[in-house]
Amino acid sequence: MELRQLQYFVKVARKQHVTQAAEELHVAQSAVSRQIRLLEEELGVNLFVQKGRNLHLTSVGRLFLSRIERIMTDLEKAVSEIHEFLDPEAGEIRVGFPHSVVLHLLPTVVAAFRKFHPNVKFKLRQGTYNSLIRDVSKGDIDLAFISPFPENHEYVTGDLLLTEELYAIVPQHHILSEYQTIRLEQLKDESFVMFGEEYSLRTIVMEACLKAGFTPHVGFEAEETDTIRGLVAAGMGVSLLPEMALAEGGSLRPIKVRISEPRVTRTVGLIHRTGERLPPVAEVFRRFLLEYVHSR
């Protein structure tokens, strides 16, 4: 069994098409087909089944892929660690983040880090709470900003960075826009602009509203804080957003109002895979980030 065969197998499994896999691998289609056939002969099983123009994994193929992907990830990390050992200032850090963190914290800290480590590269990946947990657990990324911070998790661990207050946001001419503080129940008759159900901020807002004694009416759903701010500013409803997501604003700016009862907060943390040492350059960044956040 050769490394090349495994690489071809993973690529075909992901693309479900030999021709497309060959194009990305920059090799002839016949070469890919031959290596897959040799791999199947050595294993004594069929890894793929033809369905129309696509190749689909058999049940054995899916099992084999799950194991091989872990091996390939570990191999890539081993090679990367060797390169970083030889020149830690030329390494790459793979960082995941939710959209509400990228607006302010991530660009600021990366810019500050690059002043001291100008040759370090960053590979960034945006995701939801569950996708970031999955990507860290699988080793697809080294570190991930995440909210809320998972206190006890089987596959990831990390550091709590901060606890952040959520504010109510309302249109500029809303009756509550002149208030310094409000109780959350004062929004019970409003239409809310919410994140989709896969986003952790939606859960935080829903739980806070239930604690205040009402179930919010969701008039609009969105995937980014910019969209939510714009819809609220345009008079489409109200919402709750963390202070970090309100640091910047476009031409449409809602009014933010502090919530006195109940106090609504979220935690933001930095996670990595449990029981595994970070690549040297990622560990340098982690320590820099903790010192940066805690000094402010």
Side-chain angles (χ1 to χ4, degrees):
M1 190 178 301
E2 299 178 3
L3 176 60
R4 178 177 55 179
Q5 293 174 336
L6 301 180
Q7 291 172 330
Y8 288 7
F9 164 72
V10 171
K11 183 64 70 175
V12 172
R14 290 174 177 172
K15 304 302 294 186
Q16 296 186 345
H17 203 283
V18 173
T19 302
Q20 293 177 10
E23 289 175 353
E24 290 199 8
L25 292 165
H26 304 292
V27 297
Q29 178 180 338
S30 58
V32 175
S33 297
R34 181 172 181 273
Q35 293 302 323
I36 295 296
R37 185 174 66 255
L38 290 173
L39 180 60
E40 289 180 325
E41 289 176 357
E42 182 173 350
L43 293 172
V45 296
N46 290 323
L47 298 172
F48 296 97
V49 59
Q50 188 82 38
K51 290 186 178 180
R53 301 178 64 182
N54 292 338
L55 287 177
H56 292 260
L57 289 167
T58 62
S59 58
V60 175
R62 289 192 295 271
L63 175 62
F64 189 61
L65 177 65
S66 66
R67 299 292 187 182
I68 294 304
E69 282 186 319
R70 296 176 192 174
I71 293 172
M72 299 301 290
T73 297
D74 289 341
L75 178 60
E76 290 172 2
K77 292 188 68 175
V79 173
S80 178
E81 287 179 0
I82 290 173
H83 291 162
E84 290 174 15
F85 180 80
L86 296 174
D87 186 4
E89 288 300 316
E92 179 181 79
I93 307 173
R94 303 171 301 167
V95 182
F97 60 91
H99 180 263
S100 58
V101 171
V102 74
L103 293 173
H104 179 69
L105 177 59
L106 181 57
T108 303
V109 74
V110 167
F113 182 79
R114 287 290 297 275
K115 290 180 180 179
F116 298 96
H117 308 277
N119 296 320
V120 172
K121 299 178 181 178
F122 283 84
K123 186 175 182 179
L124 305 178
R125 177 183 295 185
Q126 183 174 326
T128 62
Y129 180 88
N130 289 330
S131 69
L132 292 171
I133 293 279
R134 182 192 66 231
D135 291 345
V136 171
S137 301
K138 291 174 59 180
D140 290 342
I141 53 179
D142 304 310
L143 298 163
F145 292 89
I146 198 163
S147 176
F149 177 64
E151 294 286 351
N152 297 293
H153 196 281
E154 182 179 1
Y155 301 113
V156 300
T157 186
D159 305 281
L160 176 63
L161 298 178
L162 55 94
T163 299
E164 183 180 28
E165 186 174 1
L166 269 69
Y167 286 79
I169 57 171
V170 300
Q172 290 190 6
H173 301 296
H174 193 277
I175 190 172
L176 299 176
S177 63
E178 300 295 328
Y179 284 58
Q180 295 295 316
T181 62
I182 63 171
R183 300 183 312 279
L184 186 55
E185 66 177 345
Q186 290 176 261
L187 299 177
K188 65 181 180 180
D189 296 323
E190 302 286 346
S191 177
F192 276 72
V193 183
M194 290 270 203
F195 279 100
E197 294 185 355
E198 67 272 27
Y199 291 87
S200 59
L201 273 174
R202 180 188 179 106
T203 302
I204 293 173
V205 173
M206 292 293 290
E207 290 179 350
C209 290
L210 291 174
K211 186 176 180 180
F214 70 97
T215 300
H217 168 70
V218 181
F220 291 89
E221 291 187 352
E223 295 184 354
E224 296 187 348
T225 52
D226 288 346
T227 306
I228 291 177
R229 289 188 309 182
L231 287 170
V232 171
M236 298 295 103
V238 302
S239 191
L240 272 65
L241 286 178
E243 187 173 13
M244 194 183 303
L246 299 170
E248 303 291 339
S251 57
L252 288 174
R253 298 187 181 185
I255 303 299
K256 73 172 186 179
V257 184
R258 177 168 269 114
I259 300 171
S260 61
E261 177 64 32
R263 186 167 180 262
V264 188
T265 63
R266 71 163 181 174
T267 55
V268 178
L270 186 73
I271 59 171
H272 56 87
R273 191 152 63 160
T274 300
E276 184 172 297
R277 187 177 63 180
L278 283 168
V281 68
E283 177 61 24
V284 171
F285 177 70
R286 187 189 72 85
R287 293 180 181 179
F288 178 88
L289 174 61
L290 292 178
E291 183 177 345
Y292 181 90
V293 171
H294 294 157
S295 66
R296 283 161 171 74

